[in-house]
Coordinates of all heavy atoms in Angstrom, one line a residue:
K20 N 28.4 -128.0 152.4 CA 27.8 -129.2 151.9 C 26.2 -129.2 152.0 O 25.5 -129.6 151.1 CB 28.3 -130.5 152.6 CG 29.8 -130.8 152.4 CD 30.2 -132.0 153.1 CE 31.7 -132.3 152.8 NZ 32.1 -133.6 153.5
N103 N 2.0 -120.3 142.7 CA 2.6 -121.3 141.8 C 4.0 -121.7 142.2 O 4.4 -122.8 141.9 CB 2.6 -120.8 140.4 CG 1.2 -120.7 139.7 OD1 0.3 -121.4 140.2 ND2 1.0 -119.9 138.7
N177 N -22.2 -104.6 131.3 CA -22.2 -105.0 132.7 C -22.3 -106.5 132.9 O -21.7 -107.1 133.8 CB -23.4 -104.4 133.5 CG -23.1 -102.9 133.8 OD1 -22.0 -102.4 133.7 ND2 -24.2 -102.2 134.0
I199 N -10.4 -113.2 150.2 CA -11.1 -112.7 151.3 C -11.8 -111.4 150.9 O -11.2 -110.5 150.4 CB -10.2 -112.4 152.5 CG1 -9.4 -113.7 152.9 CG2 -11.0 -111.9 153.7 CD1 -8.3 -113.4 153.8
A267 N -9.5 -88.3 128.7 CA -10.4 -87.3 128.1 C -10.6 -87.5 126.6 O -11.8 -87.5 126.1 CB -9.8 -85.9 128.3
D295 N 4.5 -87.3 121.7 CA 5.3 -86.6 120.6 C 4.5 -85.4 120.0 O 3.3 -85.5 119.8 CB 5.6 -87.6 119.5 CG 6.5 -87.1 118.4 OD1 7.7 -87.2 118.6 OD2 6.0 -86.5 117.4
M306 N -9.6 -85.3 115.3 CA -10.8 -85.3 116.1 C -11.7 -84.1 115.9 O -12.9 -84.2 116.0 CB -10.4 -85.4 117.6 CG -9.7 -86.7 117.9 SD -9.2 -86.9 119.7 CE -10.8 -87.1 120.5
R309 N -14.0 -84.5 113.1 CA -15.1 -85.4 113.3 C -16.2 -84.7 114.2 O -17.2 -85.4 114.6 CB -14.7 -86.7 114.0 CG -13.7 -87.5 113.2 CD -13.5 -88.9 113.7 NE -12.6 -89.7 112.9 CZ -12.4 -91.0 113.0 NH1 -13.1 -91.7 113.9 NH2 -11.5 -91.6 112.3
S331 N -23.8 -75.6 133.3 CA -22.9 -74.6 132.6 C -21.5 -74.7 133.2 O -21.4 -74.9 134.4 CB -23.4 -73.2 132.8 OG -24.7 -73.1 132.2
I396 N 4.8 -96.2 136.0 CA 4.2 -96.2 134.6 C 2.8 -96.8 134.8 O 2.7 -98.0 135.0 CB 5.0 -96.9 133.5 CG1 6.3 -96.2 133.4 CG2 4.2 -96.8 132.2 CD1 7.2 -96.9 132.3

Side-chain angles (χ1 to χ4, degrees):
K20 291 183 178 180
N103 289 340
N177 287 341
I199 303 168
D295 188 89
M306 293 181 72
R309 297 192 184 195
S331 300
I396 298 181

